Amino acid sequence: MAQVITVGETVDVKKSKQVPLSFTGTVEKLYANAALLTIDSFNKADKEVVDDLKNRTVVNYKDIKKDGQAVEPPAPEEPTGRNNRSSKTTKK
């Protein structure tokens, strides 16, 4: 079963076609299909790549592991646009 992640948690990412390096990072923000991660721990050989990324990158959930297990995207939130406001009636 996939793990649920939240902002502030530490996760692992392995190098792949989509990810240029392996690292351990902290979740900064969750999106529908990916998460913004701060790169905390990485191989010294990847320092130039990490510097180019400014120690942050967006990674698809399928490339993130928590405690060695896959993670799942967060549940979608309800929209909060103008169409969801209740109508007000005014007494005269």
Side-chain angles (χ1 to χ4, degrees), residues 26-68:
T26 303
V27 179
E28 280 195 33
K29 187 167 185 172
L30 300 171
Y31 299 106
N33 298 311
L36 174 63
L37 305 175
T38 300
I39 302 169
D40 300 327
S41 173
F42 55 92
N43 188 320
K44 289 181 184 181
D46 293 324
K47 179 161 178 34
E48 188 173 332
V49 175
V50 174
D51 289 344
D52 287 346
L53 294 170
K54 306 223 185 292
N55 289 67
R56 300 166 92 194
T57 189
V58 176
V59 179
N60 190 298
Y61 292 115
K62 68 181 181 182
D63 297 312
I64 301 173
K65 302 279 187 205
K66 176 183 166 189
D67 299 328

mmCIF file of all heavy atoms in Angstrom, residues 26-68:
data_model
loop_
_atom_site.group_PDB
_atom_site.id
_atom_site.type_symbol
_atom_site.label_atom_id
_atom_site.label_comp_id
_atom_site.label_asym_id
_atom_site.label_seq_id
_atom_site.Cartn_x
_atom_site.Cartn_y
_atom_site.Cartn_z
ATOM 1 N N THR A 26 12.976 17.236 1.730
ATOM 2 C CA THR A 26 11.840 17.591 2.564
ATOM 3 C C THR A 26 10.718 18.114 1.677
ATOM 4 O O THR A 26 10.960 18.930 0.784
ATOM 5 C CB THR A 26 12.231 18.687 3.578
ATOM 6 O OG1 THR A 26 13.336 18.213 4.353
ATOM 7 C CG2 THR A 26 11.078 19.034 4.500
ATOM 8 N N VAL A 27 9.506 17.654 1.917
ATOM 9 C CA VAL A 27 8.342 18.087 1.146
ATOM 10 C C VAL A 27 8.004 19.529 1.516
ATOM 11 O O VAL A 27 7.780 19.842 2.684
ATOM 12 C CB VAL A 27 7.123 17.176 1.419
ATOM 13 C CG1 VAL A 27 5.909 17.650 0.633
ATOM 14 C CG2 VAL A 27 7.450 15.723 1.107
ATOM 15 N N GLU A 28 7.986 20.416 0.497
ATOM 16 C CA GLU A 28 7.627 21.825 0.716
ATOM 17 C C GLU A 28 6.187 22.110 0.322
ATOM 18 O O GLU A 28 5.500 22.896 0.957
ATOM 19 C CB GLU A 28 8.541 22.739 -0.086
ATOM 20 C CG GLU A 28 9.875 22.974 0.564
ATOM 21 C CD GLU A 28 10.586 24.152 -0.066
ATOM 22 O OE1 GLU A 28 9.932 25.125 -0.496
ATOM 23 O OE2 GLU A 28 11.815 24.091 -0.112
ATOM 24 N N LYS A 29 5.751 21.507 -0.801
ATOM 25 C CA LYS A 29 4.405 21.766 -1.287
ATOM 26 C C LYS A 29 3.922 20.563 -2.073
ATOM 27 O O LYS A 29 4.699 19.907 -2.750
ATOM 28 C CB LYS A 29 4.404 23.009 -2.189
ATOM 29 C CG LYS A 29 3.038 23.455 -2.604
ATOM 30 C CD LYS A 29 3.053 24.836 -3.205
ATOM 31 C CE LYS A 29 1.617 25.240 -3.485
ATOM 32 N NZ LYS A 29 1.497 26.612 -3.880
ATOM 33 N N LEU A 30 2.628 20.271 -1.977
ATOM 34 C CA LEU A 30 2.023 19.148 -2.697
ATOM 35 C C LEU A 30 1.160 19.675 -3.836
ATOM 36 O O LEU A 30 0.377 20.603 -3.649
ATOM 37 C CB LEU A 30 1.162 18.321 -1.745
ATOM 38 C CG LEU A 30 1.898 17.713 -0.552
ATOM 39 C CD1 LEU A 30 0.903 17.097 0.423
ATOM 40 C CD2 LEU A 30 2.908 16.693 -1.006
ATOM 41 N N TYR A 31 1.336 19.091 -5.007
ATOM 42 C CA TYR A 31 0.534 19.424 -6.179
ATOM 43 C C TYR A 31 -0.289 18.197 -6.552
ATOM 44 O O TYR A 31 -0.191 17.156 -5.910
ATOM 45 C CB TYR A 31 1.438 19.825 -7.344
ATOM 46 C CG TYR A 31 2.292 21.037 -7.056
ATOM 47 C CD1 TYR A 31 3.653 20.898 -6.812
ATOM 48 C CD2 TYR A 31 1.745 22.318 -7.018
ATOM 49 C CE1 TYR A 31 4.450 22.008 -6.544
ATOM 50 C CE2 TYR A 31 2.528 23.430 -6.759
ATOM 51 C CZ TYR A 31 3.884 23.269 -6.526
ATOM 52 O OH TYR A 31 4.662 24.355 -6.257
ATOM 53 N N ALA A 32 -1.066 18.270 -7.622
ATOM 54 C CA ALA A 32 -1.917 17.149 -8.034
ATOM 55 C C ALA A 32 -1.105 15.919 -8.420
ATOM 56 O O ALA A 32 -1.453 14.805 -8.055
ATOM 57 C CB ALA A 32 -2.808 17.570 -9.192
ATOM 58 N N ASN A 33 -0.003 16.101 -9.157
ATOM 59 C CA ASN A 33 0.764 14.965 -9.661
ATOM 60 C C ASN A 33 2.208 14.932 -9.199
ATOM 61 O O ASN A 33 2.950 14.015 -9.551
ATOM 62 C CB ASN A 33 0.747 14.964 -11.195
ATOM 63 C CG ASN A 33 -0.647 14.805 -11.739
ATOM 64 O OD1 ASN A 33 -1.373 13.920 -11.315
ATOM 65 N ND2 ASN A 33 -1.031 15.666 -12.652
ATOM 66 N N ALA A 34 2.638 15.935 -8.446
ATOM 67 C CA ALA A 34 4.044 16.046 -8.047
ATOM 68 C C ALA A 34 4.165 16.823 -6.747
ATOM 69 O O ALA A 34 3.191 17.402 -6.267
ATOM 70 C CB ALA A 34 4.835 16.743 -9.149
ATOM 71 N N ALA A 35 5.376 16.827 -6.200
ATOM 72 C CA ALA A 35 5.639 17.575 -4.969
ATOM 73 C C ALA A 35 6.890 18.420 -5.154
ATOM 74 O O ALA A 35 7.839 18.004 -5.821
ATOM 75 C CB ALA A 35 5.834 16.613 -3.802
ATOM 76 N N LEU A 36 6.890 19.598 -4.550
ATOM 77 C CA LEU A 36 8.078 20.440 -4.509
ATOM 78 C C LEU A 36 8.907 19.984 -3.324
ATOM 79 O O LEU A 36 8.403 19.926 -2.197
ATOM 80 C CB LEU A 36 7.695 21.913 -4.353
ATOM 81 C CG LEU A 36 8.844 22.899 -4.156
ATOM 82 C CD1 LEU A 36 9.756 22.916 -5.383
ATOM 83 C CD2 LEU A 36 8.319 24.287 -3.863
ATOM 84 N N LEU A 37 10.173 19.626 -3.582
ATOM 85 C CA LEU A 37 11.052 19.113 -2.532
ATOM 86 C C LEU A 37 12.285 19.985 -2.386
ATOM 87 O O LEU A 37 12.839 20.472 -3.368
ATOM 88 C CB LEU A 37 11.505 17.689 -2.878
ATOM 89 C CG LEU A 37 10.423 16.654 -3.164
ATOM 90 C CD1 LEU A 37 11.057 15.340 -3.597
ATOM 91 C CD2 LEU A 37 9.542 16.447 -1.955
ATOM 92 N N THR A 38 12.733 20.147 -1.144
ATOM 93 C CA THR A 38 14.028 20.750 -0.869
ATOM 94 C C THR A 38 15.029 19.613 -0.847
ATOM 95 O O THR A 38 14.799 18.590 -0.208
ATOM 96 C CB THR A 38 14.025 21.450 0.510
ATOM 97 O OG1 THR A 38 13.030 22.462 0.498
ATOM 98 C CG2 THR A 38 15.365 22.065 0.813
ATOM 99 N N ILE A 39 16.149 19.783 -1.542
ATOM 100 C CA ILE A 39 17.176 18.747 -1.592
ATOM 101 C C ILE A 39 18.075 18.915 -0.375
ATOM 102 O O ILE A 39 18.789 19.903 -0.256
ATOM 103 C CB ILE A 39 17.996 18.849 -2.896
ATOM 104 C CG1 ILE A 39 17.060 18.716 -4.101
ATOM 105 C CG2 ILE A 39 19.092 17.789 -2.924
ATOM 106 C CD1 ILE A 39 17.715 19.060 -5.424
ATOM 107 N N ASP A 40 18.017 17.952 0.553
ATOM 108 C CA ASP A 40 18.751 18.056 1.818
ATOM 109 C C ASP A 40 20.057 17.268 1.813
ATOM 110 O O ASP A 40 21.070 17.751 2.294
ATOM 111 C CB ASP A 40 17.880 17.548 2.976
ATOM 112 C CG ASP A 40 16.592 18.346 3.121
ATOM 113 O OD1 ASP A 40 16.587 19.556 2.841
ATOM 114 O OD2 ASP A 40 15.576 17.735 3.497
ATOM 115 N N SER A 41 20.031 16.053 1.310
ATOM 116 C CA SER A 41 21.186 15.153 1.358
ATOM 117 C C SER A 41 21.374 14.520 -0.009
ATOM 118 O O SER A 41 20.424 13.993 -0.582
ATOM 119 C CB SER A 41 20.932 14.089 2.426
ATOM 120 O OG SER A 41 21.932 13.114 2.398
ATOM 121 N N PHE A 42 22.616 14.581 -0.541
ATOM 122 C CA PHE A 42 22.879 14.068 -1.877
ATOM 123 C C PHE A 42 24.351 13.684 -1.997
ATOM 124 O O PHE A 42 25.170 14.032 -1.142
ATOM 125 C CB PHE A 42 22.517 15.109 -2.937
ATOM 126 C CG PHE A 42 23.212 16.430 -2.738
ATOM 127 C CD1 PHE A 42 24.426 16.700 -3.358
ATOM 128 C CD2 PHE A 42 22.663 17.399 -1.908
ATOM 129 C CE1 PHE A 42 25.076 17.906 -3.166
ATOM 130 C CE2 PHE A 42 23.306 18.608 -1.706
ATOM 131 C CZ PHE A 42 24.520 18.863 -2.335
ATOM 132 N N ASN A 43 24.694 12.986 -3.079
ATOM 133 C CA ASN A 43 26.067 12.584 -3.346
ATOM 134 C C ASN A 43 26.879 13.821 -3.721
ATOM 135 O O ASN A 43 26.419 14.658 -4.503
ATOM 136 C CB ASN A 43 26.076 11.574 -4.499
ATOM 137 C CG ASN A 43 27.424 10.958 -4.728
ATOM 138 O OD1 ASN A 43 28.454 11.619 -4.658
ATOM 139 N ND2 ASN A 43 27.421 9.671 -5.018
ATOM 140 N N LYS A 44 28.091 13.950 -3.190
ATOM 141 C CA LYS A 44 28.938 15.118 -3.466
ATOM 142 C C LYS A 44 29.184 15.315 -4.955
ATOM 143 O O LYS A 44 29.349 16.448 -5.414
ATOM 144 C CB LYS A 44 30.274 14.989 -2.738
ATOM 145 C CG LYS A 44 30.154 15.150 -1.249
ATOM 146 C CD LYS A 44 31.515 15.037 -0.580
ATOM 147 C CE LYS A 44 31.357 15.105 0.929
ATOM 148 N NZ LYS A 44 32.647 15.029 1.611
ATOM 149 N N ALA A 45 29.186 14.239 -5.737
ATOM 150 C CA ALA A 45 29.392 14.330 -7.181
ATOM 151 C C ALA A 45 28.252 15.090 -7.877
ATOM 152 O O ALA A 45 28.424 15.596 -8.980
ATOM 153 C CB ALA A 45 29.530 12.938 -7.780
ATOM 154 N N ASP A 46 27.099 15.206 -7.217
ATOM 155 C CA ASP A 46 25.934 15.881 -7.789
ATOM 156 C C ASP A 46 25.806 17.334 -7.344
ATOM 157 O O ASP A 46 24.797 17.980 -7.618
ATOM 158 C CB ASP A 46 24.655 15.127 -7.422
ATOM 159 C CG ASP A 46 24.576 13.761 -8.066
ATOM 160 O OD1 ASP A 46 25.042 13.627 -9.220
ATOM 161 O OD2 ASP A 46 24.071 12.841 -7.411
ATOM 162 N N LYS A 47 26.824 17.864 -6.685
ATOM 163 C CA LYS A 47 26.745 19.228 -6.138
ATOM 164 C C LYS A 47 26.409 20.264 -7.207
ATOM 165 O O LYS A 47 25.593 21.155 -6.978
ATOM 166 C CB LYS A 47 28.040 19.606 -5.435
ATOM 167 C CG LYS A 47 27.991 21.035 -4.866
ATOM 168 C CD LYS A 47 29.014 21.261 -3.827
ATOM 169 C CE LYS A 47 29.041 22.665 -3.277
ATOM 170 N NZ LYS A 47 27.777 23.369 -3.168
ATOM 171 N N GLU A 48 27.016 20.147 -8.387
ATOM 172 C CA GLU A 48 26.759 21.118 -9.451
ATOM 173 C C GLU A 48 25.289 21.087 -9.886
ATOM 174 O O GLU A 48 24.668 22.124 -10.097
ATOM 175 C CB GLU A 48 27.659 20.850 -10.650
ATOM 176 C CG GLU A 48 27.587 21.933 -11.703
ATOM 177 C CD GLU A 48 28.598 21.734 -12.807
ATOM 178 O OE1 GLU A 48 29.660 21.134 -12.587
ATOM 179 O OE2 GLU A 48 28.293 22.200 -13.928
ATOM 180 N N VAL A 49 24.719 19.894 -10.004
ATOM 181 C CA VAL A 49 23.311 19.754 -10.371
ATOM 182 C C VAL A 49 22.425 20.376 -9.294
ATOM 183 O O VAL A 49 21.487 21.117 -9.597
ATOM 184 C CB VAL A 49 22.926 18.270 -10.591
ATOM 185 C CG1 VAL A 49 21.440 18.112 -10.845
ATOM 186 C CG2 VAL A 49 23.734 17.666 -11.719
ATOM 187 N N VAL A 50 22.728 20.105 -8.032
ATOM 188 C CA VAL A 50 21.943 20.645 -6.917
ATOM 189 C C VAL A 50 22.039 22.169 -6.904
ATOM 190 O O VAL A 50 21.031 22.861 -6.702
ATOM 191 C CB VAL A 50 22.405 20.043 -5.568
ATOM 192 C CG1 VAL A 50 21.699 20.718 -4.403
ATOM 193 C CG2 VAL A 50 22.143 18.544 -5.552
ATOM 194 N N ASP A 51 23.223 22.699 -7.140
ATOM 195 C CA ASP A 51 23.384 24.157 -7.197
ATOM 196 C C ASP A 51 22.558 24.750 -8.337
ATOM 197 O O ASP A 51 21.927 25.802 -8.167
ATOM 198 C CB ASP A 51 24.854 24.541 -7.352
ATOM 199 C CG ASP A 51 25.671 24.289 -6.090
ATOM 200 O OD1 ASP A 51 25.069 24.115 -5.003
ATOM 201 O OD2 ASP A 51 26.914 24.263 -6.192
ATOM 202 N N ASP A 52 22.560 24.092 -9.508
ATOM 203 C CA ASP A 52 21.757 24.560 -10.641
ATOM 204 C C ASP A 52 20.265 24.557 -10.299
ATOM 205 O O ASP A 52 19.522 25.429 -10.749
ATOM 206 C CB ASP A 52 21.988 23.694 -11.877
ATOM 207 C CG ASP A 52 23.343 23.930 -12.522
ATOM 208 O OD1 ASP A 52 24.013 24.937 -12.187
ATOM 209 O OD2 ASP A 52 23.754 23.093 -13.354
ATOM 210 N N LEU A 53 19.834 23.584 -9.514
ATOM 211 C CA LEU A 53 18.429 23.487 -9.098
ATOM 212 C C LEU A 53 18.097 24.388 -7.914
ATOM 213 O O LEU A 53 16.940 24.465 -7.499
ATOM 214 C CB LEU A 53 18.092 22.036 -8.730
ATOM 215 C CG LEU A 53 18.122 21.027 -9.878
ATOM 216 C CD1 LEU A 53 18.003 19.606 -9.333
ATOM 217 C CD2 LEU A 53 17.018 21.311 -10.881
ATOM 218 N N LYS A 54 19.117 25.052 -7.376
ATOM 219 C CA LYS A 54 18.957 25.921 -6.195
ATOM 220 C C LYS A 54 18.370 25.162 -4.998
ATOM 221 O O LYS A 54 17.550 25.681 -4.255
ATOM 222 C CB LYS A 54 18.119 27.142 -6.530
ATOM 223 C CG LYS A 54 18.638 27.922 -7.725
ATOM 224 C CD LYS A 54 18.614 29.374 -7.513
ATOM 225 C CE LYS A 54 19.013 30.151 -8.733
ATOM 226 N NZ LYS A 54 20.373 30.039 -9.135
ATOM 227 N N ASN A 55 18.805 23.903 -4.855
ATOM 228 C CA ASN A 55 18.421 23.018 -3.743
ATOM 229 C C ASN A 55 16.924 22.718 -3.671
ATOM 230 O O ASN A 55 16.415 22.333 -2.624
ATOM 231 C CB ASN A 55 18.895 23.571 -2.402
ATOM 232 C CG ASN A 55 20.381 23.458 -2.261
ATOM 233 O OD1 ASN A 55 21.133 24.130 -2.978
ATOM 234 N ND2 ASN A 55 20.846 22.622 -1.367
ATOM 235 N N ARG A 56 16.206 22.884 -4.790
ATOM 236 C CA ARG A 56 14.781 22.578 -4.823
ATOM 237 C C ARG A 56 14.437 21.982 -6.176
ATOM 238 O O ARG A 56 15.008 22.348 -7.190
ATOM 239 C CB ARG A 56 13.942 23.835 -4.631
ATOM 240 C CG ARG A 56 14.195 24.536 -3.326
ATOM 241 C CD ARG A 56 13.606 25.904 -3.339
ATOM 242 N NE ARG A 56 12.253 25.856 -2.795
ATOM 243 C CZ ARG A 56 11.382 26.828 -2.921
ATOM 244 N NH1 ARG A 56 11.675 27.909 -3.591
ATOM 245 N NH2 ARG A 56 10.194 26.721 -2.389
ATOM 246 N N THR A 57 13.471 21.077 -6.195
ATOM 247 C CA THR A 57 12.998 20.518 -7.461
ATOM 248 C C THR A 57 11.591 19.955 -7.292
ATOM 249 O O THR A 57 11.165 19.631 -6.186
ATOM 250 C CB THR A 57 13.968 19.425 -7.986
ATOM 251 O OG1 THR A 57 13.589 19.064 -9.305
ATOM 252 C CG2 THR A 57 13.996 18.202 -7.092
ATOM 253 N N VAL A 58 10.885 19.850 -8.400
ATOM 254 C CA VAL A 58 9.551 19.250 -8.417
ATOM 255 C C VAL A 58 9.701 17.819 -8.938
ATOM 256 O O VAL A 58 10.327 17.591 -9.968
ATOM 257 C CB VAL A 58 8.593 20.054 -9.318
ATOM 258 C CG1 VAL A 58 7.233 19.370 -9.411
ATOM 259 C CG2 VAL A 58 8.442 21.471 -8.793
ATOM 260 N N VAL A 59 9.132 16.866 -8.199
ATOM 261 C CA VAL A 59 9.275 15.448 -8.537
ATOM 262 C C VAL A 59 7.896 14.794 -8.558
ATOM 263 O O VAL A 59 7.080 15.002 -7.655
ATOM 264 C CB VAL A 59 10.186 14.731 -7.506
ATOM 265 C CG1 VAL A 59 10.313 13.257 -7.827
ATOM 266 C CG2 VAL A 59 11.552 15.387 -7.444
ATOM 267 N N ASN A 60 7.653 13.985 -9.580
ATOM 268 C CA ASN A 60 6.405 13.231 -9.693
ATOM 269 C C ASN A 60 6.317 12.237 -8.534
ATOM 270 O O ASN A 60 7.321 11.669 -8.119
ATOM 271 C CB ASN A 60 6.374 12.489 -11.031
ATOM 272 C CG ASN A 60 5.020 11.898 -11.326
ATOM 273 O OD1 ASN A 60 4.530 11.050 -10.599
ATOM 274 N ND2 ASN A 60 4.417 12.357 -12.406
ATOM 275 N N TYR A 61 5.104 12.010 -8.045
ATOM 276 C CA TYR A 61 4.912 11.087 -6.910
ATOM 277 C C TYR A 61 5.454 9.688 -7.188
ATOM 278 O O TYR A 61 5.911 9.016 -6.281
ATOM 279 C CB TYR A 61 3.435 11.004 -6.514
ATOM 280 C CG TYR A 61 2.910 12.281 -5.907
ATOM 281 C CD1 TYR A 61 1.929 13.020 -6.534
ATOM 282 C CD2 TYR A 61 3.431 12.756 -4.706
ATOM 283 C CE1 TYR A 61 1.456 14.205 -5.981
ATOM 284 C CE2 TYR A 61 2.970 13.936 -4.152
ATOM 285 C CZ TYR A 61 1.982 14.654 -4.786
ATOM 286 O OH TYR A 61 1.533 15.832 -4.237
ATOM 287 N N LYS A 62 5.417 9.238 -8.440
ATOM 288 C CA LYS A 62 5.888 7.884 -8.750
ATOM 289 C C LYS A 62 7.392 7.732 -8.519
ATOM 290 O O LYS A 62 7.876 6.618 -8.399
ATOM 291 C CB LYS A 62 5.521 7.494 -10.177
ATOM 292 C CG LYS A 62 6.241 8.268 -11.245
ATOM 293 C CD LYS A 62 5.809 7.844 -12.616
ATOM 294 C CE LYS A 62 6.579 8.647 -13.655
ATOM 295 N NZ LYS A 62 6.193 8.333 -14.997
ATOM 296 N N ASP A 63 8.129 8.839 -8.434
ATOM 297 C CA ASP A 63 9.578 8.799 -8.200
ATOM 298 C C ASP A 63 9.962 9.046 -6.739
ATOM 299 O O ASP A 63 11.139 9.128 -6.412
ATOM 300 C CB ASP A 63 10.278 9.829 -9.096
ATOM 301 C CG ASP A 63 10.098 9.515 -10.570
ATOM 302 O OD1 ASP A 63 10.316 8.344 -10.945
ATOM 303 O OD2 ASP A 63 9.748 10.425 -11.341
ATOM 304 N N ILE A 64 8.978 9.191 -5.865
ATOM 305 C CA ILE A 64 9.221 9.491 -4.446
ATOM 306 C C ILE A 64 8.940 8.261 -3.597
ATOM 307 O O ILE A 64 7.948 7.565 -3.812
ATOM 308 C CB ILE A 64 8.323 10.659 -3.980
ATOM 309 C CG1 ILE A 64 8.609 11.922 -4.814
ATOM 310 C CG2 ILE A 64 8.524 10.938 -2.487
ATOM 311 C CD1 ILE A 64 7.653 13.068 -4.540
ATOM 312 N N LYS A 65 9.788 8.024 -2.609
ATOM 313 C CA LYS A 65 9.591 6.931 -1.648
ATOM 314 C C LYS A 65 9.614 7.499 -0.229
ATOM 315 O O LYS A 65 10.373 8.413 0.077
ATOM 316 C CB LYS A 65 10.711 5.896 -1.751
ATOM 317 C CG LYS A 65 10.871 5.274 -3.114
ATOM 318 C CD LYS A 65 9.885 4.176 -3.320
ATOM 319 C CE LYS A 65 10.212 3.477 -4.634
ATOM 320 N NZ LYS A 65 9.091 2.843 -5.210
ATOM 321 N N LYS A 66 8.773 6.930 0.616
ATOM 322 C CA LYS A 66 8.756 7.271 2.041
ATOM 323 C C LYS A 66 8.902 5.961 2.799
ATOM 324 O O LYS A 66 8.105 5.049 2.606
ATOM 325 C CB LYS A 66 7.446 7.963 2.425
ATOM 326 C CG LYS A 66 7.325 8.257 3.907
ATOM 327 C CD LYS A 66 5.981 8.864 4.222
ATOM 328 C CE LYS A 66 5.725 8.847 5.706
ATOM 329 N NZ LYS A 66 4.353 9.240 6.028
ATOM 330 N N ASP A 67 9.936 5.868 3.622
ATOM 331 C CA ASP A 67 10.218 4.645 4.370
ATOM 332 C C ASP A 67 10.315 3.442 3.432
ATOM 333 O O ASP A 67 9.843 2.347 3.746
ATOM 334 C CB ASP A 67 9.150 4.394 5.440
ATOM 335 C CG ASP A 67 9.083 5.513 6.474
ATOM 336 O OD1 ASP A 67 10.140 6.122 6.756
ATOM 337 O OD2 ASP A 67 7.981 5.786 6.984
ATOM 338 N N GLY A 68 10.874 3.657 2.230
ATOM 339 C CA GLY A 68 11.071 2.582 1.271
ATOM 340 C C GLY A 68 9.836 2.187 0.485
ATOM 341 O O GLY A 68 9.878 1.261 -0.322
#
